[in-house]
Amino acid sequence: MHHFAYRDGEMAAEDVPLAQVAEAVGTPFYCYSTATLERHYRVFSAPFEGLDALICFAVKANSNVAVIRTLARLGAGADVVSGGELDRALVAGIPPERIVFSGIGKTAGEMAAGIRASIHQFNVESEPELRLLNDIALGLKTTAPVTLRVNPDVDSGSHAKITTGRSDNKFGIPWSRAREAYREAGRLPGIEVVGVDVHIGSQLTDLEPFEAAFHRVVELIEALRADGHAIDRLDLGGGLGIPYEPGTPPPHPDDYGAMVRRIAGESGCSLILEPGRLIAGNAGILVSRVLYVKEGESRSFVILDAAMNDLLRPAMYEAYHGIQPVREPGPDASTMVADFVGPVCESADTFARDRETAALVPGDLVVIHSAGAYGAVMASTYNSRPLVPEVLVKGDRFSVIRPRIGTDDLIDLDRMPDWLENEGESRAAE
Ligand code: LLP
């Protein structure tokens, strides 16, 4: 459940009418709801109450420091995958002992930053990475707490581009080498083995792949303990899906939590969960204005001022996002079927195809739902478009938590090499 709803005929974020935000910051803009972020965090953590469990928000889903701080205040930890995300988590106020560092390509510098910050653990994904982390830790005269991320060879059933737990994916240590890798880790003086990590994919709409993977990992823990390793932590990653479109919703966090309890509750490990989308996805929207309504040969196009560079998910994963007008259509409002597209010069710049909608005219505001996770973080400036602002709402207040980064700011970052300077002089010499 989220807090974006019609009130007196106008869509509001909590108690703030979106038209008012549009007036203040212009369009397009991202808008997040504090009450929804908080609600999702609580709904996800509730089933783990009474267990020794750390909920680490996957910062890659939404890395705005105000969003991270909102969750930090509830006791959230952070799952980070780069030095940049580590910095953001720390600036936002996540205690280092609640930060886990994932990712298959950590650099020496990122490892050193994590060690210096005294983070909770590194989730290591290969033997070469393990060896480098050992060297870095020894260089800093310490040890690094490590789980190895294992690849359980389980198909998550989600979109191929966001499935990570199959043996042909780049993620994790192959199942057949897991014990051997732990043996090596156990021998490295700069590595302190603390547990096991698994993450099989994102936007899972079925609990079965989770169950299969978690069963395998719990069995592995027994084998590893028999091999003499102290396995005290079990990091189960993220991945629980959210409702994007009408129809059967994905499993409820209560059911996910009960399944985790059943399978891993008796493992003797403290648990780490890394939800990203579940917390932020439906806590954010992208608000855009209709520029034109264009009649094509065979279809109609609603041309928005938001584009694929602002929200990449439909172009990248054929993802469905609900779209609604900000002004509530009356009961007798006429409807139309249209493709919602952006101004970018690619046919992939399409938010929805053949979508039935209340009739729209230029100037109307629309809301693109479920854009709080993997929205702003995946934005680019393609077509020299500005980075859209982000706004956080709390009750009847709103605050710009990242201003629009305009084309002037971006052009200022470009530099002219000396051979292209003094345009006039070089022309004269020719
Ligand atoms: N932990 C690890 C190690 C991950 O790689 C991910 C996501 C998560 C946790 C959080 O997963 P979540 O709970 O959000 O499903 N850009 C794609 C999603 C990429 C997910 C990458 N890893 C999208 O827009 O659908």
Side-chain angles (χ1 to χ4, degrees):
M1 206 207 85
H2 56 72
H3 293 258
F4 303 103
Y6 288 119
R7 281 196 180 188
D8 305 324
E10 289 275 330
M11 181 84 72
E14 302 188 23
D15 302 330
V16 177
L18 289 172
Q20 189 186 324
V21 183
E23 188 68 29
V25 304
T27 54
F29 64 91
Y30 277 99
C31 178
Y32 312 124
S33 149
T34 300
T36 313
L37 286 167
E38 292 179 343
R39 181 175 185 281
H40 289 170
Y41 180 80
R42 292 202 172 100
V43 166
F44 186 83
S45 24
F48 299 102
E49 238 153 65
L51 288 182
D52 182 359
L54 175 61
I55 314 290
C56 292
F57 173 59
V59 165
K60 65 169 76 67
N62 189 315
S63 52
N64 190 291
V65 292
V67 169
I68 305 173
R69 181 165 295 179
T70 301
L71 299 168
R73 292 222 168 139
L74 303 179
D79 165 46
V80 303
V81 293
S82 67
E85 287 191 358
L86 174 61
D87 289 346
R88 284 177 175 275
L90 292 170
V91 166
I94 306 266
E97 65 275 12
R98 290 177 174 270
I99 297 178
V100 301
F101 202 141
S102 304
I104 63 161
K106 301 175 198 77
T107 65
E110 289 174 326
M111 290 174 177
I115 292 174
R116 286 204 184 92
S118 301
I119 62 166
H120 192 51
Q121 73 191 34
F122 290 88
N123 295 334
V124 169
E125 301 216 21
S126 68
E127 294 89 340
E129 185 196 335
L130 189 61
R131 290 168 206 144
L132 179 59
L133 182 58
N134 176 63
D135 292 346
I136 304 288
L138 291 179
L140 293 169
K141 303 201 173 1
T142 186
T143 56
V146 161
T147 74
L148 294 189
R149 174 170 172 184
V150 289
N151 183 320
D153 195 17
V154 169
D155 193 333
S156 71
S158 56
H159 192 281
K161 287 182 181 160
I162 51 175
T163 238
T164 56
R166 289 194 341 213
S167 62
D168 58 353
N169 297 136
K170 66 179 179 177
F171 298 96
I173 291 179
W175 196 256
S176 57
R177 283 214 311 275
R179 284 173 84 172
E180 204 180 308
Y182 269 92
R183 220 164 289 135
E184 176 170 4
R187 282 199 294 264
L188 294 171
I191 298 294
E192 182 201 355
V193 173
V194 295
V196 181
D197 171 43
V198 68
H199 169 82
I200 59 168
S202 195
Q203 185 56 15
L204 271 74
T205 52
D206 190 348
L207 291 183
E208 248 168 59
F210 283 124
E211 283 203 51
F214 298 171
H215 268 302
R216 291 204 88 176
V217 170
V218 168
E219 279 170 24
L220 176 66
I221 289 176
E222 280 170 31
L224 293 174
R225 284 182 176 149
D227 290 346
H229 302 288
I231 304 294
D232 298 323
R233 300 180 195 167
L234 175 50
D235 185 333
L236 296 173
L240 184 57
I242 61 167
Y244 277 98
E245 48 190 308
T248 319
H252 191 274
D254 282 349
D255 299 323
Y256 172 83
M259 178 272 293
V260 169
R261 248 175 207 274
R262 182 161 44 79
I263 296 173
E266 303 297 315
S267 65
C269 288
S270 64
L271 299 179
I272 296 165
L273 291 311
E274 303 172 353
R277 189 190 313 267
L278 192 113
I279 308 288
N282 279 319
I285 55 175
L286 177 62
V287 180
S288 179
R289 200 176 283 283
V290 176
L291 294 176
Y292 304 101
V293 178
K294 169 174 168 173
E295 295 308 325
E297 191 73 66
S298 58
R299 52 209 309 129
S300 303
F301 299 96
V302 174
I303 303 174
L304 302 177
D305 65 359
M308 63 187 284
N309 70 297
D310 305 313
L311 176 65
L312 188 58
R313 301 196 69 261
M316 183 114 165
Y317 316 109
E318 296 83 37
Y320 180 102
H321 286 261
I323 300 179
Q324 281 185 301
V326 166
R327 185 172 306 126
E328 185 171 18
D332 307 322
S334 57
T335 60
M336 62 195 273
V337 174
D339 289 5
F340 284 81
V341 301
V344 160
C345 302
E346 300 214 18
S347 293
D349 185 19
T350 297
F351 291 112
R353 275 177 84 78
D354 293 325
R355 191 67 66 84
E356 181 161 3
T357 170
L360 290 164
V361 295
D364 282 347
L365 292 170
V366 298
V367 167
I368 304 178
H369 284 284
S370 316
Y374 308 111
V377 286
M378 292 177 74
S380 76
T381 58
Y382 186 37
N383 278 206
S384 283
R385 291 169 51 82
L387 285 176
V388 302
E390 295 174 274
V391 170
L392 182 63
V393 167
K394 182 176 169 63
D396 60 3
R397 290 187 291 168
F398 73 90
S399 176
V400 177
I401 58 173
R402 189 183 71 188
R404 191 179 308 279
I405 298 174
T407 327
D408 285 352
D409 305 318
L410 296 168
I411 293 173
D412 271 354
L413 294 172
D414 289 2
R415 294 287 179 274
M416 206 60 83
D418 54 9
W419 65 87
L420 290 177
E421 278 174 358
N422 307 323
E423 178 77 349
E425 281 169 37
S426 58
R427 285 250 169 90
E430 272 167 18

